[in-house]
Amino acid sequence: MRVVIVGLPFFGKRLAENLNRFDKENSYVFLDTYSKKTDKLKALFLIPKADIVFSINGSLSSSGVFDLCLKKKIPLVMMWVGSDVEQAKKNVINGSARMDYLQYAHHFCEVDWIKDELASIGISARIQNFAAFPSNFPLQVFQTSQLSVFCYVNDRDPVFYGMNELIRLAQQFPKINFEVVGTKADSFNPLPSNIHTHGWVQEMDTFYDKCQIVLRFPSHDGLATVVLEALARGKQVLYKYPFPHCKFVPTEEKLTESLSNLYQQFEENTLKENMLGKKYVEENFNEEHIFSGLIQAFKALSK
């Protein structure tokens, strides 16, 4: 089986590498058809020979890759991950949606709330995860000298990723450190003194290690990788969406309340590692479980 993976480069490249390592019987190639001209040319030759095309990013907007799949009758799977759903809703509302894509493709997503959003625009999706995590993340015992919160904020749209809410949270909890990666947040200066921004970083282990809490509070989200990584490391997680072993904080009021409770536990020296969360990811998002399921799905849908 020959699988061509397209879509979001960060996740697509990593998935192709992991699947080639995990599965020696089939081949997986990632093509960055968003930004690389050479990969766009490769797509013209590789997609017609593929048994299936897997796009990590769904779309109802016109796409050369999707058109080629339709023309050559190559099975296409769209993995809907979050912001792509918002764009698809707009396409449907303004009448620009490619309904032939909707009908031709097989649709996957990672969580129930995305499945429900897709259903609202006529897309029936199955839940199929593709992100896997090793079970050997070292467990860092929570330090007791300083409570710290880790947060990823994408510099393309800090407001969307909750920067304003984060600033208000830091103002309410001046004794808690907030470590922010992904943006320098220069346009928000002056920031509260307990917010430390680090911009884009390649290696986030250091930040995970020093924090007991991970916060994810964007305007809209799929199943965020940072949430799974945090759980795998035994962190307490504040998440805007309901997910096992996370603190569900759908509103800013609930976010403040939950952080206050965690801070009280810290002050009382009762804040402990999230062992149930760590076990959950180890059992449900290990490579054997995720990749075997994904490969079986590919085989069932391939030509």
Side-chain angles (χ1 to χ4, degrees):
M1 181 175 63
R2 293 162 295 187
V3 179
V4 172
I5 301 172
V6 297
L8 300 176
F10 178 81
F11 297 106
K13 183 174 183 292
R14 183 166 67 179
L15 179 61
E17 291 172 350
N18 286 335
L19 285 174
N20 280 316
R21 173 178 50 79
F22 179 83
D23 176 19
K24 302 300 184 183
E25 295 181 3
N26 303 292
S27 66
Y28 305 87
V29 175
F30 170 69
L31 299 176
D32 182 0
T33 56
Y34 288 169
S35 59
K36 291 186 177 180
K37 292 182 179 179
T38 53
D39 281 8
K40 291 178 181 179
L41 291 173
K42 288 179 183 178
L44 298 176
F45 295 96
L46 294 180
I47 286 178
K49 298 177 182 178
D51 294 294
I52 196 163
V53 171
F54 183 61
S55 175
I56 306 179
N57 207 34
S59 179
L60 298 183
S61 301
S62 290
S63 159
V65 166
F66 296 170
D67 285 341
L68 185 58
C69 289
L70 268 67
K71 181 180 179 181
K72 299 296 183 180
K73 295 182 171 55
I74 306 301
L76 169 66
V77 175
M78 293 188 192
M79 170 61 76
W80 296 86
V81 293
S83 57
D84 49 359
V85 182
E86 294 285 275
Q87 181 58 51
K89 288 180 181 178
K90 294 176 183 177
N91 292 140
V92 171
I93 291 170
N94 65 28
S96 66
R98 288 287 300 269
M99 302 306 290
D100 51 343
Y101 293 172
L102 186 157
Q103 294 161 2
Y104 181 80
H106 306 278
H107 302 278
F108 291 179
C109 64
E110 299 175 280
V111 280
D112 286 330
W113 67 83
I114 295 295
K115 180 182 175 73
D116 292 342
E117 289 184 38
L118 289 169
S120 73
I121 56 172
I123 294 176
S124 178
R126 62 177 278 182
I127 292 180
Q128 175 67 61
N129 295 101
F130 69 95
F133 300 86
S135 58
N136 60 349
F137 279 125
L139 183 68
Q140 298 290 329
V141 177
F142 284 177
Q143 60 167 300
T144 58
S145 59
Q146 175 64 55
L147 184 62
S148 297
V149 176
F150 170 77
C151 186
Y152 169 77
V153 175
N154 193 306
D155 198 46
R156 291 197 304 271
D157 195 348
V159 172
F160 178 90
Y161 280 84
M163 194 67 207
N164 287 329
E165 291 86 351
L166 181 60
I167 290 171
R168 289 192 288 270
L169 204 62
Q171 290 169 337
Q172 292 179 73
F173 296 94
K175 293 184 179 180
I176 299 177
N177 275 343
F178 292 83
E179 305 290 341
V180 180
V181 304
T183 183
K184 286 286 189 179
D186 293 331
S187 62
F188 296 86
N189 287 330
L191 291 168
S193 60
N194 56 328
I195 290 183
H196 311 286
T197 60
H198 304 277
W200 174 255
V201 297
Q202 290 281 11
E203 181 55 66
M204 297 200 296
D205 284 349
T206 300
F207 299 99
Y208 279 120
D209 290 348
K210 72 188 297 185
C211 297
Q212 303 94 330
I213 301 168
V214 172
L215 167 62
R216 180 77 174 184
F217 200 77
S219 298
H220 182 266
D221 212 4
L223 178 54
T225 300
V226 68
V227 169
L228 295 173
E229 288 180 339
L231 291 174
R233 291 170 165 84
K235 304 302 178 182
Q236 298 293 336
V237 180
L238 300 168
Y239 195 21
K240 196 171 185 177
Y241 289 84
F243 195 73
H245 309 296
C246 297
K247 312 294 184 186
F248 179 36
V249 290
T251 65
E252 193 169 348
E253 180 182 6
K254 187 65 176 178
L255 173 59
T256 302
E257 177 187 334
S258 294
L259 184 57
S260 179
N261 291 338
L262 291 173
Y263 181 65
Q264 183 176 347
Q265 292 176 38
F266 177 78
E267 289 286 279
E268 296 170 351
N269 201 26
T270 59
L271 182 62
K272 301 300 181 183
E273 298 78 18
N274 187 354
M275 299 307 297
L276 290 176
K278 181 174 175 62
K279 182 180 179 182
Y280 179 80
V281 173
E282 288 175 351
E283 291 179 348
N284 294 281
F285 289 87
N286 62 74
E287 290 191 347
E288 180 63 36
H289 180 73
I290 296 296
F291 293 155
S292 293
L294 189 60
I295 292 166
Q296 289 306 310
F298 287 162
K299 287 181 177 179
L301 299 174
S302 63
K303 67 179 183 181

